[in-house]
Amino acid sequence: MIKLTAKQISAAINGELFASSSLQDFTVSEIITDSRTCFGGTNAAFFALSGPVFNGHNYIAQLRKKGVQLFIVSNKNFIDNKAGYILVKDTIVALQQLAAYNRNRFSQPVIGITGSNGKTIVKEWLYDLLSTEFKIVRSPKSYNSQVGVPLSALLIDNQYDLALLEAGISEPNEMEKLAPIVRPNIGILTNIGDAHQENFRSMEEKLSEKLKLFTGAKKLVFRSDRFYSENIAEFCSQNNIEPINWSLKNNDAAIRFKCKTKSVNTEIEAIINKEHYSFSIPFTDDSAIENACHCFATLIALKKNPKDFPAQFSKLQPVAMRLEIKQGINNCLLINDYYNSDLNSLSIALSVLKQQAAKGHLFKHVILSDIQQTGIETVELYSKVNQLLQEWGINKLTGIGKDLYQHQHIFEMECEFYANRSEFEKQFVRSNYSSSAILIKGARQFELEKISALLQQKAHQTVLEINLNALIHNLNTFRKLLKPETKIMVMVKAFSYGSGDVEIARLLQHQNVDYLAVAVADEGVQLRNAGINIPILVMNPEHDSFQNIIDFNLEPNIYSLQLLQQFSKVVIEFGINNFPIHIKIDTGMNRLGLKTKKEIEEVIAFTKNNKHLKIQSVFSHLAGSDEAELDDFTQEQFLRYADLSALIENAFPYKINKHILNSAGIERFPEQQMDMVRLGIGLYGISQTGLALQQISTLKTTVSQVKTVNTNETVGYNRKGKINYQSRVAVVPMGYADGINRRLGNGLGSALVNGQEARIIGNICMDMLMLDVTNLEVNPGDSVEIFGPNISISKVAQLLETIPYEILTGISQRVKRVYLQE
């Protein structure tokens, strides 16, 4: 961690310091950029980052109350005599300058990693391979952005003797800002792929941008059998960089690899100057093989003896690059993060625990293993852990490991300690865990996944994985199409399009969206009970739901004069003034809404002198914004909406928000974004224009049984699955009761088993379907993907001649939702 005075920080970032003499000399040991992750810290400095959506300056007063004493700001109006301030032109640039300054204070070797894929895995595997020899500081999780990289570099100090930093870019001219911060001695270029390609004119331009990270490096590790490898070789030559190039095909490379894939592992032979080295990895996929080869080549760049590492390669583990959020026993929520353990990643995980611990999970419980290889003396280390737990308001700690057991006296909260995981399992009592958010955090060797298995709610083995990071990516992609002042309402009706309403709503609240919208009041009540406090619009309010709408501060969609009069009567009975309502105009959809000028004038007359109601917004819905052939009709809707909404807007003295765009409308008609937009299916990864969205959902299960079926036998009900030659059939525990459309049977649909396509054979049953896996290597327990990264929801929808909405919302709620988040 950094240890700099306010005066030193000001000088490093060319800032103007406003602080008392005592504050000028106080030492900063923590840098904060997100107010939500700060729960106290007198030695912290807050960079008030500003962007198109958020302004960190607005959280200064809140952070002062938590003890923060130093703020780096770009707006002089926020400076007062209540704290210390450093005024700069741009706070993000200042953060990057401070990180570059900190990097230059130390001479330890730095390995810089960039590329389109594999950065985090290569970083984590290198840590596993080298941590017995080096004290290593590395980027937390996948901190590789314009803010994440400087935060990572600020962790470098004298206690470490090697740094592993990853850097990512999404636009041109970003890497030149990160290069002085990382300033790697050894570089690794994992690969160049399609990620963020929409912002680059060509692959060559993207490659050129990424290579800027390595301009001052001494060595560069890269794969030389890619089409762009000549460009890399030329770059190395121009910048006097030693190329550590490797290949699976090219015998002229510095390192030649030969691979032999078996059922569960891959044997790899490396040939260097006629010397042969062998090792094995417990993976068979191409990406894992490539990542392992990058790691081996990096060992060579570090001048390590490859013969010392076969055992470590054989023990490499899958990198859980996201936190897993799962439903636990007895109304518990599990947050699994057991692939590494250090102070930095612990702080990040605690912030997620705080975020997830809503009303139903107020009790915050951390199960933590010993933290190893930090370079900090043990008493000091666990004192820092105790401080972190206190700052994040943790209610209970369960410690696993001999170090925690021996230092249990340090912790000032409800605690229990076990010398090892086995002792915990022996004394485990299921009933002791209820209504808690439980973070399970530890290093891999403690096998805390076995504790997670004890606490996890056992359910149907079919799961729908929801990638919350992909959802955030999609939200930010749409935000880039909007003006900074445009509000966003997100549709979370229909169980958030099948993704799970409460969990999605929590994330959206954390991402500061302006509104949520639900179909019926009961959905809104559930969100309020889960701790969601942002405004919620009820699209289909019913008379029987008025009590709940008022009690839970929901906001009704008013689509007729009769509904307005009925709701107003109930509001008056409660004696409430200015209760927010939203007026729906029908501009051609011919569903709910006020259609004529007369209807609207009646609503205006009723509402204008009604002190009990206040119109929050007036909106309409587009009938065909996703179809170019309907654009003339869409333009007619815009004109109707403009005329009719103006009647309401001009009748009231206060501001009324206007909105008409849905997801497709945002993409195709951004000029009509008005005051607010309604984001629905686009958030879940479905684009109408080829926008670079990420599919957030993966429907997956496992093979129950594999059997041989002989010629002329049949498979499934009504003997529809006819066998013409001896075949192998895999039975999968997923059927139409889970939301699999029966029309996908009999060869129309398919699934991926271990990455291999298999057609559905026979009729789909209620709880099962069968796959033809003849000539495929498939065994019971193998993974099956129905849709996800390799089979898009849009493709499934096209097969069924329907729309992605129906596929997503049709997934049964008996299918367990598992949430993944970095």
Side-chain angles (χ1 to χ4, degrees):
M1 62 184 71
I2 69 163
K3 288 185 179 180
L4 295 171
T5 66
K7 191 182 299 182
Q8 289 173 316
I9 292 175
S10 180
I13 61 179
N14 300 315
E16 184 178 359
L17 180 59
F18 297 83
S20 64
S21 56
S22 60
L23 279 178
Q24 290 182 27
D25 294 322
F26 101 99
T27 300
V28 172
S29 59
E30 181 183 5
I31 299 297
I32 301 168
T33 60
D34 187 339
S35 64
R36 296 167 295 188
T37 64
C38 176
F39 287 82
T42 55
N43 292 325
F46 176 71
F47 278 73
L49 306 184
S50 299
V53 179
F54 308 116
N55 188 341
H57 295 80
N58 297 329
Y59 302 96
I60 290 174
Q62 171 189 329
L63 288 168
R64 277 204 310 264
K65 293 178 181 178
K66 294 181 179 180
V68 179
Q69 300 184 64
L70 182 64
F71 298 88
I72 293 81
V73 300
S74 58
N75 187 334
K76 196 170 185 177
N77 294 330
F78 285 87
I79 296 176
D80 54 32
N81 59 3
K82 298 177 182 179
Y85 296 88
I86 300 174
L87 181 65
V88 297
K89 290 183 178 180
D90 187 313
T91 49
I92 292 181
V93 172
L95 178 67
Q96 294 169 341
Q97 289 173 330
L98 181 61
Y101 172 80
N102 190 63
R103 166 69 179 92
N104 291 331
R105 294 166 67 205
F106 304 102
S107 58
Q108 302 97 319
V110 173
I111 297 177
I113 309 168
T114 192
S116 297
N117 305 103
K119 296 185 292 294
T120 301
I121 295 175
V122 168
K123 178 196 68 185
E124 292 299 327
W125 283 0
L126 282 173
Y127 178 85
D128 287 345
L129 293 165
L130 295 167
S131 58
T132 56
E133 180 178 353
F134 294 97
K135 292 178 180 177
I136 301 173
V137 60
R138 66 199 193 278
S139 304
K141 296 289 185 178
S142 53
Y143 270 34
N144 57 36
S145 67
Q146 295 292 302
V147 173
V149 171
L151 290 176
S152 301
L154 285 167
L155 300 174
I156 300 174
D157 62 26
N158 280 326
Q159 65 180 290
Y160 302 107
D161 44 31
L162 178 65
L164 303 173
L165 302 181
E166 57 175 297
I169 58 172
S170 58
E171 297 177 358
N173 304 317
E174 287 186 332
M175 191 62 85
E176 60 192 34
K177 301 173 185 175
L178 302 182
I181 300 171
V182 179
R183 201 164 57 81
N185 306 89
I186 296 174
I188 304 172
L189 180 67
T190 58
N191 57 49
I192 300 296
D194 293 331
H196 302 295
Q197 187 58 49
E198 70 278 5
N199 297 323
F200 296 93
R201 289 172 294 183
S202 64
M203 284 285 192
E204 288 75 17
E205 181 187 34
K206 184 193 293 185
L207 172 63
S208 176
E209 289 291 327
K210 289 185 180 290
L211 287 174
K212 290 178 181 178
L213 179 65
F214 309 123
T215 301
K218 296 178 180 178
K219 301 177 182 180
L220 178 57
V221 174
F222 65 95
R223 184 173 179 176
S224 62
D225 50 19
R226 300 296 194 193
F227 71 89
Y228 46 76
S229 59
E230 290 185 5
N231 303 63
I232 304 174
E234 183 180 355
F235 170 83
C236 290
S237 177
Q238 291 173 349
N239 291 278
N240 197 28
I241 298 171
E242 179 185 349
I244 310 295
N245 58 335
W246 64 267
S247 175
L248 294 173
K249 305 173 183 177
N250 183 1
N251 290 323
D252 295 330
I255 307 172
R256 172 78 161 93
F257 290 106
K258 294 181 180 180
C259 302
K260 184 177 181 181
T261 300
K262 297 187 175 181
S263 58
V264 294
N265 70 315
T266 301
E267 295 180 355
I268 302 176
E269 181 183 20
I271 306 168
I272 308 172
N273 295 327
K274 298 183 180 180
E275 291 285 333
H276 292 249
Y277 305 92
S278 297
F279 60 98
S280 175
I281 60 173
F283 306 95
T284 60
D285 59 287
D286 291 342
S287 60
I289 293 170
E290 180 175 75
N291 293 331
C293 292
H294 280 306
C295 291
F296 184 94
T298 305
L299 298 178
I300 301 301
L302 287 167
K303 297 184 177 180
K304 297 299 170 187
N305 187 344
K307 293 180 180 179
D308 295 337
F309 293 92
Q312 289 98 313
F313 273 106
S314 67
K315 296 176 182 177
L316 290 176
Q317 298 291 318
V319 175
M321 292 186 295
R322 316 174 190 91
L323 300 177
E324 283 188 332
I325 303 173
K326 295 184 176 182
Q327 195 63 41
I329 60 175
N330 304 331
N331 197 36
C332 286
L333 190 71
L334 303 184
I335 303 170
N336 294 332
D337 187 17
Y338 35 67
Y339 82 97
N340 69 23
S341 187
D342 55 56
L343 285 174
N344 303 315
S345 64
L346 175 60
S347 181
I348 295 169
L350 288 173
S351 72
V352 177
L353 175 62
K354 177 77 176 181
Q355 174 190 341
Q356 292 293 329
K359 281 188 177 180
H361 306 286
L362 289 179
F363 193 84
K364 294 182 286 297
H365 185 172
V366 173
I367 299 176
L368 181 69
S369 78
D370 285 349
I371 299 177
Q372 301 175 331
Q373 298 182 357
T374 63
I376 305 174
E377 193 273 328
T378 308
V379 173
E380 181 185 356
L381 168 65
Y382 289 114
S383 296
K384 290 179 181 293
V385 172
N386 175 62
Q387 181 183 352
L388 269 178
L389 298 176
Q390 295 280 352
E391 290 175 353
W392 288 98
I394 303 306
N395 304 107
K396 182 178 179 180
L397 169 67
T398 297
I400 310 289
K402 64 179 183 179
D403 286 346
L404 278 166
Y405 189 85
Q406 292 172 359
H407 295 83
Q408 57 185 275
H409 61 278
I410 291 175
F411 296 93
E412 304 169 293
M413 64 193 68
E414 181 184 349
C415 296
E416 60 184 13
F417 295 89
Y418 303 90
N420 52 55
R421 191 200 72 255
S422 298
E423 288 299 316
F424 173 90
E425 293 174 347
K426 289 177 184 177
Q427 300 182 47
F428 175 73
V429 178
R430 184 183 177 93
S431 59
N432 288 344
Y433 299 85
S434 64
S435 299
S436 300
I438 304 173
L439 169 65
I440 305 174
K441 175 73 175 167
R444 293 172 189 162
Q445 62 265 38
F446 288 90
E447 298 181 309
L448 295 191
E449 62 270 17
K450 295 182 179 179
I451 292 179
S452 176
L454 291 175
L455 292 169
Q456 186 176 332
Q457 187 180 67
K458 302 302 186 291
H460 193 33
Q461 66 195 87
T462 297
V463 299
L464 183 68
E465 282 187 352
I466 311 298
N467 185 333
L468 298 181
N469 295 97
L471 187 143
I472 294 171
H473 166 84
N474 295 341
L475 175 63
N476 290 332
T477 299
F478 278 97
R479 275 178 164 155
K480 289 182 180 179
L481 301 179
L482 303 174
K483 300 173 184 176
E485 64 271 17
T486 303
K487 298 181 175 67
I488 296 179
M489 175 184 290
V490 176
M491 314 303 290
V492 293
K493 61 182 182 176
F495 201 52
S496 288
Y497 294 74
S499 299
D501 41 17
V502 170
E503 291 79 5
I504 298 299
R506 282 184 186 141
L507 179 69
L508 294 170
Q509 178 169 274
H510 192 65
Q511 292 296 316
N512 293 317
V513 302
D514 302 280
Y515 259 91
L516 299 177
V518 296
V520 294
D522 286 349
E523 294 176 334
V525 171
Q526 184 179 7
L527 296 184
R528 288 285 187 248
N529 285 334
I532 306 302
N533 53 36
I534 59 178
I536 299 175
L537 170 62
V538 179
M539 300 298 287
N540 301 304
E542 300 168 332
H543 188 275
D544 291 343
S545 70
F546 289 170
Q547 176 84 43
N548 276 340
I549 288 175
I550 294 170
D551 287 346
F552 290 90
N553 193 27
L554 309 175
E555 302 179 16
N557 162 30
I558 300 299
Y559 51 80
S560 70
L561 178 62
Q562 180 186 21
L563 181 66
L564 176 64
Q565 292 169 336
Q566 291 172 344
F567 185 71
S568 177
K569 181 179 178 181
V570 176
V571 173
I572 292 171
E573 290 173 358
F574 276 82
I576 299 173
N577 291 337
N578 294 317
F579 196 94
I581 61 173
H582 300 255
I583 304 298
K584 176 73 176 290
I585 297 177
D586 179 5
T587 57
M589 187 79 165
N590 285 314
R591 292 194 311 189
L592 298 176
L594 307 169
K595 191 171 184 179
T596 66
K597 181 178 179 181
K598 179 183 177 183
E599 289 176 294
I600 290 174
E601 288 174 341
E602 290 173 342
V603 165
I604 292 172
F606 184 87
T607 310
K608 193 165 187 178
N609 298 313
N610 188 332
K611 66 178 183 179
H612 301 283
L613 302 175
K614 183 179 181 180
I615 300 175
Q616 198 73 15
S617 80
V618 54
F619 70 103
S620 187
H621 193 74
L622 299 174
S625 59
D626 56 340
E627 297 185 41
E629 58 267 29
L630 297 178
D631 282 356
D632 288 344
F633 182 77
T634 299
Q635 294 297 335
E636 290 178 18
Q637 284 194 272
F638 289 143
L639 292 174
R640 287 185 206 137
Y641 175 78
D643 291 341
L644 296 176
S645 64
L647 297 175
I648 299 174
E649 189 177 24
N650 296 331
F652 295 88
Y654 51 81
K655 169 70 175 177
I656 297 175
N657 290 317
K658 297 190 294 183
H659 51 108
I660 191 171
L661 295 185
N662 54 7
S663 295
I666 298 170
E667 292 186 57
R668 302 190 65 240
F669 305 100
E671 71 280 1
Q672 295 288 348
Q673 60 189 261
M674 304 179 193
D675 302 300
M676 185 156 62
V677 296
R678 299 189 305 278
L679 183 56
I681 194 68
L683 185 70
Y684 305 94
I686 307 301
S687 171
Q688 302 299 329
T689 65
L691 204 60
L693 303 179
Q694 297 176 7
Q695 184 166 305
I696 75 165
S697 304
T698 299
L699 182 60
K700 60 195 295 187
T701 186
T702 57
V703 174
S704 297
Q705 184 181 16
V706 180
K707 59 177 57 182
T708 299
V709 182
N710 294 318
T711 306
N712 297 324
E713 288 191 290
T714 59
V715 176
Y717 284 119
N718 307 115
R719 306 196 70 189
K720 294 291 186 180
K722 300 187 185 302
I723 300 298
N724 298 319
Y725 48 86
Q726 189 179 72
S727 303
R728 295 176 75 241
V729 173
V731 183
V732 173
M734 183 184 298
Y736 58 78
D738 299 293
I740 308 299
N741 194 300
R742 289 185 76 246
R743 286 190 291 145
L744 289 172
N746 300 308
L748 178 64
S750 62
L752 284 187
V753 187
N754 294 334
Q756 308 165 99
E757 185 175 12
R759 308 301 298 184
I760 299 174
I761 184 171
N763 282 333
I764 292 174
C765 310
M766 179 182 288
D767 308 300
M768 283 174 280
L769 59 83
M770 284 69 72
L771 300 172
D772 184 351
V773 295
T774 307
N775 300 323
L776 301 180
E777 186 174 342
V778 175
N779 297 292
D782 287 350
S783 64
V784 179
E785 176 188 317
I786 303 300
F787 59 71
N790 303 293
I791 301 176
S792 71
I793 295 172
S794 296
K795 177 182 177 181
V796 177
Q798 288 171 1
L799 288 174
L800 293 170
E801 298 180 341
T802 184
I803 54 178
Y805 294 79
E806 183 178 348
I807 305 301
L808 281 170
T809 58
I811 303 303
S812 168
Q813 292 193 30
R814 83 174 188 178
V815 174
K816 180 174 64 177
R817 270 66 174 174
V818 175
Y819 299 89
L820 307 178
Q821 184 177 16
E822 287 184 357

